[in-house]
Amino acid sequence: MRRLYFVVEGYTEREFVNKSLGPYFASKGIYDVRAVEITTSKGYKGGLSNYAHLKRDIDNFLKSETDIIVTTFIDFFRLPSSMPRHNQVEDIAVIDDKIKVLEQGMTESINDNRFVPYIQKHEFEALLFSGKMGFELMYDDPRIVEELVAVVDEFENPESINSRPQFAPSKRLINILASRGEKYNKVAEGNLIAEEIGIELIMEKCLRFKKWIDSLEAIVRS
């Protein structure tokens, strides 16, 4: 069975892979799952400001061994303009279609059938709106919980949360907390919320995310 590498934007996504996706894949008999943050410069990791950094890491992993599958876990929100085919998506209205073009551009750029591109619609925080229990655990102020749960109830699929900057999932979290004098700490809070929700519910609610995870399982086993 092949090793599965996730190239991720930052620490939060890395921990999500390690603490949520890793155990999920292990329950399916897939044990060699690793997450690596994008190398931005010598000695520094995390963040996606230039596609060249991401491509370099992917190419290096694919060159390092043959029995491997490499995928990405990066946010659509604020992708750099250096992404392949980025200039083709400006006039595309539907976000899913934009992502499809960008992922196809990555596929063509890497040109290796062991690579599976994935861009999270809209961003990691969309997954946190899959259920209310994570917010109930994290925040003591019932007014904060009430407002966050209202967003959960509004969207049957959290991946449909509006991507305009002021309404992106992370902005909703930030703004709701700020209105009550609190701050959202992605690193400290994001994975605790996700773990409380559970990967099964996240996959049930986020169908595009589930399709990606299911495809990785099938590819690793092939």
Side-chain angles (χ1 to χ4, degrees):
M1 194 172 294
R2 291 183 279 186
R3 178 175 296 167
L4 179 57
Y5 268 71
F6 290 79
V7 184
V8 304
E9 279 197 59
Y11 177 84
T12 302
E13 291 81 5
R14 188 187 77 191
E15 288 300 287
F16 178 73
V17 172
N18 291 337
K19 294 182 178 179
S20 293
L21 290 181
Y24 172 79
F25 280 112
S27 73
K28 303 291 185 178
I30 300 171
Y31 300 104
D32 202 345
V33 178
R34 307 183 185 190
V36 183
E37 295 173 57
I38 299 168
T39 304
T40 53
S41 60
K42 188 174 182 180
Y44 293 92
K45 290 181 177 290
L48 176 54
S49 59
N50 192 316
Y51 173 68
H53 300 155
L54 176 60
K55 184 179 188 307
R56 179 182 59 207
D57 282 350
I58 295 168
D59 287 340
N60 286 340
F61 289 133
L62 291 170
K63 289 175 183 176
S64 67
E65 53 190 298
T66 57
D67 206 22
I68 187 175
I69 296 297
V70 178
T71 189
T72 52
F73 188 22
I74 57 177
D75 294 343
F76 172 75
F77 189 51
R78 292 179 175 170
L79 276 176
S81 59
S82 55
M83 295 293 295
R85 291 199 177 197
H86 191 276
N87 63 330
Q88 299 178 20
V89 304
E90 294 181 2
D91 297 327
I92 298 176
V94 179
I95 291 177
D96 290 79
D97 293 339
K98 290 177 182 280
I99 294 175
K100 185 176 180 180
V101 169
L102 291 167
E103 289 180 340
Q104 181 59 34
M106 293 171 66
T107 297
E108 294 167 354
S109 171
I110 301 301
N111 193 29
D112 191 309
N113 60 14
R114 296 170 297 158
F115 172 63
V116 180
Y118 178 74
I119 298 172
Q120 176 61 44
K121 178 189 173 184
H122 303 275
E123 56 182 343
F124 169 79
E125 278 78 9
L127 306 179
L128 306 184
F129 287 92
S130 297
K132 64 180 183 179
M133 58 286 293
F135 298 134
E136 291 174 338
L137 169 73
M138 183 59 58
Y139 305 114
D140 295 327
D141 189 330
R143 298 170 299 176
I144 291 176
V145 174
E146 181 180 355
E147 291 185 52
L148 290 171
V149 169
V151 179
V152 174
D153 293 339
E154 181 181 353
F155 295 94
E156 183 176 350
N157 182 343
E159 294 170 315
S160 297
I161 293 176
N162 198 308
S163 68
R164 285 183 292 168
Q166 65 270 36
F167 295 120
S170 63
K171 294 298 184 183
R172 290 173 183 257
L173 262 170
I174 290 168
N175 292 337
I176 288 172
L177 289 171
S179 70
R180 304 301 180 186
E182 296 193 27
K183 293 183 178 181
Y184 169 59
N185 186 318
K186 178 175 182 174
V187 172
E189 300 171 12
N191 276 295
L192 290 176
I193 294 171
E195 287 181 62
E196 184 66 14
I197 297 170
I199 192 65
E200 289 80 9
L201 181 55
I202 290 174
M203 292 177 65
E204 177 184 328
K205 299 285 285 187
C206 301
L207 301 182
R208 188 174 179 279
F209 176 84
K210 181 181 187 302
K211 183 178 179 180
W212 170 53
I213 298 302
D214 288 345
S215 71
L216 289 175
E217 180 183 350
I219 293 168
V220 170
R221 293 184 184 282
S222 65

